[in-house]
Amino acid sequence: MISNRNWLILFALSLCCSSFLLFLLHYMIFHDIHHILIYTIHDLAFLPLEVLLVTLILHQMLEYRAMKNKLNKLNMVIGVFFSEIGTPLLRYFSEHDRDHTEKITFFSSMKTWDTPQYQKKQKEIMNLPCSITITCTELIPLRNLLVMKEELLVRMLQNPVLLEHESFTDVLQAVFHLTEELKHRGECTNLPESDVDHVSGDITRAYSMMIPVWLSYLAHLKIHYPYLHSLAVRTNPFTETEDVIIRE
């Protein structure tokens, strides 16, 4: 079996041989070596420009288009995540956030945010603290939700496309780790305070990673899918009560 490197060498040699044979045929027919040399040098002189046009410009344009299509597909998967489990998790986490009121205030005006404001808010949210306070009893519904959606998390982690989105991959790993932690604790009853603190740390990690990714996803929807953005804003997990009804 011919290796990839050997195949390239053979292909290059065949092209060179073809070119030589065509030049030879041209000479045999017209007997004009001067004409052959003129056009050969002319083509060689234009070769750097061809490299510039094809490699640096056309290739970059095609690569940008391919990356844009890939990002659209990535955001579709991210949308499924937040629709199925991400938004419910954010709502649950925010309800147990020590700075719950501050988060509500921060996101209260998001209906009016434009793209520059989204970019600004993504930076500002990194400075807001995320700290979870939770009890054994409150871990039970969280455990049930995560175990119920575990198969979805596994399928997403197996998706090679998601490797292109490092921050979202980190979110999946953090949420999946939290799922494993809670699943191995059974019914999550009568846990010592030290263990609850440990789980709270896992929740805080996932929570703090999810918020920037969620904001980035909403910024994408704002530009490309305004109707999806409208629903995402109306189901904003950082509100006292969820209300999807349009009243204005």
Side-chain angles (χ1 to χ4, degrees):
M1 184 176 179
I2 300 177
S3 67
N4 188 52
R5 183 180 178 182
N6 290 338
W7 180 86
L8 289 174
I9 293 173
L10 289 174
F11 182 66
L13 288 174
S14 65
L15 290 176
C16 291
C17 291
S18 299
S19 180
F20 175 78
L21 291 173
L22 289 171
F23 277 127
L24 182 61
L25 178 64
H26 184 282
Y27 178 75
M28 292 175 64
I29 295 174
F30 299 104
H31 301 285
D32 188 356
I33 190 68
H34 178 71
H35 183 271
I36 293 175
L37 290 175
I38 288 176
Y39 277 94
T40 300
I41 295 173
H42 175 272
D43 290 341
L44 288 174
F46 191 69
L47 186 60
L49 292 178
E50 288 182 333
V51 172
L52 174 66
L53 291 172
V54 175
T55 305
L56 298 182
I57 299 177
L58 183 60
H59 177 71
Q60 289 293 329
M61 290 173 61
L62 294 174
E63 193 174 64
Y64 172 77
R65 183 176 179 84
M67 181 60 69
K68 189 175 180 180
N69 290 334
K70 186 177 291 185
L71 286 175
N72 282 333
K73 293 178 181 179
L74 278 172
N75 278 293
M76 287 176 62
V77 178
I78 293 173
V80 172
F81 170 79
F82 281 109
S83 177
E84 290 292 322
I85 186 173
T87 301
L89 280 179
L90 282 175
R91 179 170 293 280
Y92 185 86
F93 293 160
S94 68
E95 290 172 353
H96 297 86
D97 189 347
R98 294 174 185 171
D99 301 288
H100 178 58
T101 304
E102 188 176 357
K103 298 287 194 314
I104 290 178
T105 303
F106 183 86
F107 290 104
S108 61
S109 61
M110 68 183 306
K111 290 182 180 180
T112 62
W113 292 356
D114 54 17
T115 300
Q117 284 177 305
Y118 265 110
Q119 294 173 349
K120 179 182 177 182
K121 295 296 183 179
Q122 287 178 55
K123 295 178 181 178
E124 291 178 356
I125 195 64
M126 303 301 292
N127 297 321
L128 290 182
C130 293
S131 184
I132 300 296
T133 302
I134 203 164
T135 64
C136 288
T137 305
E138 292 167 334
L139 286 175
I140 296 174
L142 175 60
R143 176 191 177 278
N144 293 339
L145 172 63
L146 289 172
V147 170
M148 182 174 62
K149 299 295 184 179
E150 184 178 14
E151 185 178 348
L152 173 66
L153 294 173
V154 172
R155 289 203 307 270
M156 286 189 168
L157 284 169
Q158 292 173 340
N159 189 340
V161 177
L162 294 179
L163 297 177
E164 301 288 337
H165 199 304
E166 185 176 348
S167 55
F168 182 60
T169 302
D170 290 341
V171 167
L172 286 177
Q173 289 177 332
V175 174
F176 187 74
H177 172 72
L178 177 60
T179 304
E180 291 290 292
E181 288 276 3
L182 293 177
K183 188 171 69 172
H184 283 86
R185 283 169 172 76
E187 295 300 323
C188 296
T189 56
N190 300 320
L191 298 177
E193 184 177 348
S194 58
D195 196 49
V196 174
D197 289 341
H198 175 82
V199 175
S200 296
D202 291 330
I203 294 174
T204 300
R205 182 190 303 111
Y207 181 41
S208 60
M209 288 180 175
M210 286 174 66
I211 297 176
V213 174
W214 178 68
L215 270 181
S216 177
Y217 170 64
L218 260 62
H220 168 78
L221 294 184
K222 178 74 174 180
I223 299 172
H224 299 284
Y225 304 99
Y227 61 97
L228 293 178
H229 176 266
S230 173
L231 179 60
V233 169
R234 282 180 279 127
T235 56
N236 171 17
F238 298 96
T239 55
E240 292 291 350
T241 56
E242 181 179 332
D243 186 8
V244 299
I245 306 300
I246 299 176
R247 305 183 185 280
E248 297 179 358

